Amino acid sequence: GAGVSQSPSNKVTEKGKDVELRCDPISGHTALYWYRQSLGQGLEFLIYFQGNSAPDKSGLPSDRFSAERTGGSVSTLTIQRTQQEDSAVYLCASSLARGRGGYTFGSGTRLTVV
Amino acid sequence: AQRVTQPEKLLSVFKGAPVELKCNYSYSGSPELFWYVQYSRQRLQLLLRHISRESIKGFTADLNKGETSFHLKKPFAQEEDSAMYYCALSEHNQGGKLIFGQGTELSVKP
């Protein structure tokens, strides 16, 4: 596609429910990244996929968070048993291999846990 | 540990005034530095990168390895420059993962 597409754009969920956030990267971009944007916290790295390599999960805040990337394209970020502190904007970005060209970001999913 | 610091949460200037958004980093290797910008209700986008030595929308940034800084400058601010600005460092040996600063909100008043 022309850009990085994320869905849904907004999600309100009850505490304790599971949510899935989707990211469709730019065609041909082999690297895909998830970040979390919170007020006063800037952008927090969550997870990174590069081609067929094992993902870098070093930024996932707890084992309630997981992500997968199927067929080297679409990625899903799953948050289990959501908590109020999970409320944030979740951003996906993609880039050519090794990020030389800089990232292209999606418009994000605003998650609100009530 | 790798870190990017933007000391100012908010920077307010008048139209036509010079502006400098500060960014300092700590990194043991040879860094690649970027500035990203997010205008109101728009997605985060790349503004410039140090390896390109380019000027975008009148903004420039010079990498100073001695001071470990990558400050963003513009000689004459415009109202349309009002946005959130993020400095970022690429962990090149980690596949291009970016470490972001906490961001500086630039407000340009008429």
Side-chain angles (χ1 to χ4, degrees):
Chain A
V4 178
S5 178
Q6 290 188 247
S7 61
S9 55
N10 279 285
K11 176 71 177 179
V12 180
T13 190
E14 290 181 353
K15 178 181 171 181
K17 301 275 186 163
D18 298 352
V19 294
E20 283 190 354
L21 313 180
R22 177 189 167 104
C23 173
D24 200 342
I26 290 175
S27 178
H29 279 191
T30 57
L32 186 148
Y33 310 81
W34 283 97
Y35 283 81
R36 181 165 67 176
Q37 186 177 33
S38 309
L39 272 177
Q41 299 294 322
L43 281 112
E44 176 188 6
F45 167 76
L46 297 177
I47 188 169
Y48 153 59
F49 297 89
Q50 171 61 58
N52 295 320
S53 303
D56 176 353
K57 304 179 182 180
S58 60
L60 294 179
S62 77
D63 58 8
R64 296 186 296 105
F65 287 74
S66 63
E68 62 178 21
R69 188 179 185 190
T70 53
S73 181
V74 172
S75 177
T76 302
L77 177 68
T78 301
I79 309 173
Q80 296 178 307
R81 306 181 302 281
T82 52
Q83 303 294 313
Q84 288 187 328
E85 60 263 29
D86 300 334
S87 297
V89 176
Y90 289 83
L91 294 174
C92 176
S94 69
S95 74
L96 295 169
R98 305 194 69 80
R100 285 284 189 178
Y103 289 7
T104 300
F105 278 90
S107 55
T109 293
R110 181 176 296 279
L111 175 66
T112 304
V113 182
V114 297
Chain B
Q2 292 81 357
R3 183 182 299 172
V4 177
T5 304
Q6 293 179 251
E8 303 138 329
K9 285 189 177 180
L10 173 65
L11 184 62
S12 185
V13 301
F14 285 102
K15 176 183 173 181
V19 62
E20 180 179 69
L21 289 85
K22 291 184 168 51
C23 173
N24 289 90
Y25 66 90
S26 61
Y27 186 57
S28 56
S30 182
E32 288 187 48
L33 276 297
F34 302 81
W35 276 98
Y36 280 79
V37 61
Q38 188 169 30
Y39 301 101
S40 180
R41 296 189 181 85
Q42 294 187 28
R43 60 185 68 189
L44 199 59
Q45 58 187 284
L46 178 66
L47 180 62
L48 53 81
R49 69 200 83 171
H50 92 271
I51 58 173
S52 299
R53 294 181 174 274
E54 56 201 346
S55 173
I56 303 294
K57 299 183 179 182
F59 284 97
T60 59
D62 291 319
L63 179 61
N64 186 321
K65 292 187 178 180
E67 296 183 358
T68 59
S69 69
F70 188 58
H71 303 327
L72 183 68
K73 300 177 184 179
K74 185 170 182 177
F76 308 103
Q78 303 299 313
E79 290 180 67
E80 56 265 31
D81 295 329
S82 295
M84 196 74 182
Y85 290 81
Y86 292 93
C87 182
L89 177 151
S90 174
E91 292 195 332
H92 184 54
N93 62 350
Q94 295 293 321
K97 181 173 75 178
L98 284 176
I99 305 297
F100 285 87
Q102 294 195 339
T104 297
E105 182 182 353
L106 175 64
S107 174
V108 182
K109 301 182 186 306

